[in-house]
Each structure stands twice: as structure tokens, then as C-alpha cells.
Amino acid sequence: MSVVATRVDGRLVHGQVVVAWVPAVRCDRLGIADDALAGDSWEKDLVESASEDTPVDVASVAEAVSWYREEGLPRRFVLLRSLASLLELVRAGAPVPEAVLGGIHHRTGARRFLAYLYLTRADIEALRELDRAGVRLIARDVPGNPAVDVNRALAEGRLEYDQLPAGTS
Amino acid sequence: MIRPPVPVLLFTHAGLGNGILEAARSILGEIEGVDVLVGGCGAVEETEDRFAAWLEDHQGPVLVLTDLGFGSCCQSARRVSRGRENVGVIAGINLPAFLAVFRTGPHEDFPALMAHLAERARQSVEVYRGGSPA
């Protein structure tokens, strides 16, 4: 499979991704799977201009399934905006072995799991389904920081929505 | 007290904007007409709402100085100011470039001011080797 990493990040392409993640995963293309972005040429141009030297492909989530069936080059780093998009990708048949969760920030109804990971009730349900589908789930904002095993947190009951603290970003 | 020729927003990651402003005050004295907005953390929508509110409070030409051209602060600044020709966004800000804002002479128009500041920012990077220009 040519996909070398999959990341959920509400900002998609930004400083942490360009400076830290792209060299860490040694990708030669970014693949953004996002329905809204795929239909907005101005936003596509904005994201492409933000990626520095790494070429960017933008596709709908359904179209991005094909990236996971490619073999060999290019080494593609796939970015998704939300856990809902990741779940949609997996439901559509993409064989995603592992996903890194970082930069899912506070919004209405979200509760704090980590400083960079705020989850709604629907997010946690999505995580449970991804866990059952066999996706290894890791929370990590930047490569130099420790990873948090999300599958384990689910198994140990540390990701119960009602027990997570409310809070703002 | 010194003021920039147009209102300025330092829209940067973490403490960079406040650090640049503090350093500039140590050189120029009291400064007014400059605000700081921290981005790159928290929800993008919240940051963009704060930026939009700042723009609402500052009609007419304004300068938005951001750090990384590929960073979320710059992307937010561009997204929110889309179509507003009197909002100038300059990425790659550093202390010399910020100080240049206060050292500009009169300019015929806002685009000329933007171009002047961008050029000053580019020229502010200098390289020395063994203590001499490389």
C-alpha cells in the first residue's frame, strides 16, 4: 500500500504537519480526503499553497479509498478533518491499519480527552466502531511527543463521554 | 508614543506576537495601534471568529502580520479576509520586518505600503561568517 500514514487533524495542512509530520513519515505526497475541500477550488488553492514543496491531492472521502489500494509509489500521507470522515473512509472499504489522531479541537458538545483531542459523544462512538474494525488508533499531536494508545483507553473505560471533563480549548 | 501607519494585528503562534511587540517596545518605546492574536492552538473556528471581530472593529486598510506562510494563522487570515482588498496579510514576520512598519515614509496607496514592507522583510535576513558578511 502506498499510504504511509493516516492522520485526523481539524486543520488539515498546517505548521505541525508541514514541519514535523511530513519529514517524520517520509511521504512524497499529501492526500486530503475531504468532501468540502474537494468541492471548493479556492480552499483547495489555499491548502496547496500551504504545503510548501510537498504536492497535494484532494479527493472526496469516497474517492480516497483508491489511495489505500495503490501499491508502491507515491508514498502518500493521508489527512482527514474529522473522525466521522475516518469512519466513512473505513466503512467505504479502505484498509486503514492505523490512524493518528491529533488536533481535534474544542467545539460545541466536545469534552477533553487530551489537550489536543476533544471528543463528542459521536466521536467516541466512531472510535468504538473503528476499534472494532481493527484500526489501531493513536493520539499524538507531533512526532516528538509521546503517543497515547486510544484502543487501550477504550478497552480500559477511560473514554466514557460522561466521565470526561467539559472544557474549552 | 508611536503608531503604525495603519492598524496592525500580529497573528502568530503561541507567544511570538507578544514577544515581537515586547522587543519592539524595548527599542521604540510605547507603541499603540498594534494588537496580538494567538492562533495555531484551539479550535480554528474560534480563532477565526476572533479575527473576524477584530476586522469588524478596524475598518479601512489594516495589516495582518503572521509567522508561517503555511501555518494555520496565515491560512485563517487569508480565509477570513477573502475578497477584502483593504486587508493586507504578510507572512514570515520577524522583528526587523515589524520595526520596518514604523519606519515607512508616506506611501501613495496601501498596495505600495504592502510591497515596501514585504521588501524590507526580505532584506532583513543577513548572513555573516567569521564575523564578516558571507
Side-chain angles (χ1 to χ4, degrees):
Chain A
M1 185 168 66
S2 68
V3 174
V4 295
T6 302
R7 175 174 169 86
V8 180
D9 189 326
R11 295 168 197 268
L12 295 173
V13 180
H14 62 111
Q16 289 178 344
V17 169
V18 174
V19 175
W21 281 104
V22 165
V25 302
R26 294 185 296 116
C27 67
D28 42 42
R29 291 192 84 83
L30 292 173
I32 299 176
D34 190 80
D35 293 350
L37 198 63
D40 186 330
S41 61
W42 193 90
E43 283 283 341
K44 267 171 77 172
D45 288 346
L46 179 65
V47 167
E48 284 169 357
S49 73
S51 69
E52 284 217 308
D53 300 327
T54 309
V56 180
D57 300 309
V58 178
S60 67
V61 173
E63 291 166 341
V65 174
S66 65
W67 293 338
Y68 289 83
R69 295 182 176 142
E70 294 171 348
E71 295 294 334
L73 299 176
R75 292 173 57 85
R76 199 186 302 273
F77 181 18
V78 176
L79 299 164
L80 301 113
R81 196 189 297 270
S82 67
L83 285 167
S85 294
L86 176 61
L87 182 59
E88 183 186 345
L89 186 72
V90 170
R91 282 177 175 169
V96 180
E98 177 181 294
V100 176
L101 318 179
I104 303 177
H105 292 287
H106 185 264
R107 68 267 192 225
T108 304
R111 295 193 168 184
R112 179 187 165 121
F113 177 56
L114 298 167
Y116 56 87
L117 200 58
Y118 284 74
L119 302 169
T120 62
R121 212 178 276 280
D123 286 336
I124 294 175
E125 284 310 307
L127 288 173
R128 290 191 206 290
E129 185 171 338
L130 290 161
D131 179 56
R132 287 194 296 271
V135 180
R136 184 169 180 237
L137 299 163
I138 295 166
R140 186 177 238 172
D141 55 350
V142 292
N145 284 344
V148 174
D149 186 334
V150 175
N151 305 86
R152 189 171 172 182
L154 285 167
E156 293 177 349
R158 289 186 282 117
L159 263 172
E160 298 297 332
Y161 180 81
D162 292 326
Q163 293 175 16
L164 293 177
T168 56
S169 53
Chain B
M1 188 78 73
I2 189 168
R3 293 186 68 90
V6 297
V8 171
L9 180 69
L10 284 160
F11 188 0
T12 68
H13 287 76
L16 181 62
N18 277 314
I20 287 174
L21 185 55
E22 187 179 340
R25 282 184 172 134
S26 75
I27 295 165
L28 298 174
E30 273 310 300
I31 293 170
E32 62 179 18
V34 178
D35 294 307
V36 175
L37 176 61
V38 175
C41 59
V44 174
E45 294 79 9
E46 289 176 13
T47 305
E48 293 186 353
D49 285 348
R50 286 199 291 271
F51 177 52
W54 186 86
L55 288 181
E56 285 303 309
D57 289 343
H58 295 82
Q59 302 298 320
V62 295
L63 267 177
V64 182
L65 307 177
T66 74
D67 44 29
L68 300 170
F70 52 77
S72 51
C73 300
C74 184
Q75 289 185 58
S76 288
R78 291 178 59 191
R79 184 177 293 116
V80 175
S81 67
R82 179 179 177 182
R84 298 176 63 158
E85 296 295 325
N86 61 354
V87 179
V89 179
I90 298 178
I93 190 65
N94 55 20
L95 181 58
F98 181 65
L99 292 175
V101 172
F102 301 91
R103 299 169 64 201
T104 58
H107 285 82
E108 289 179 4
D109 54 29
F110 188 52
L113 173 66
M114 294 273 296
H116 171 78
L117 291 174
E119 187 56 28
R120 291 292 294 268
R122 290 187 191 100
Q123 289 173 349
S124 73
V125 177
E126 300 171 1
V127 181
Y128 301 93
R129 189 172 180 196
S132 300

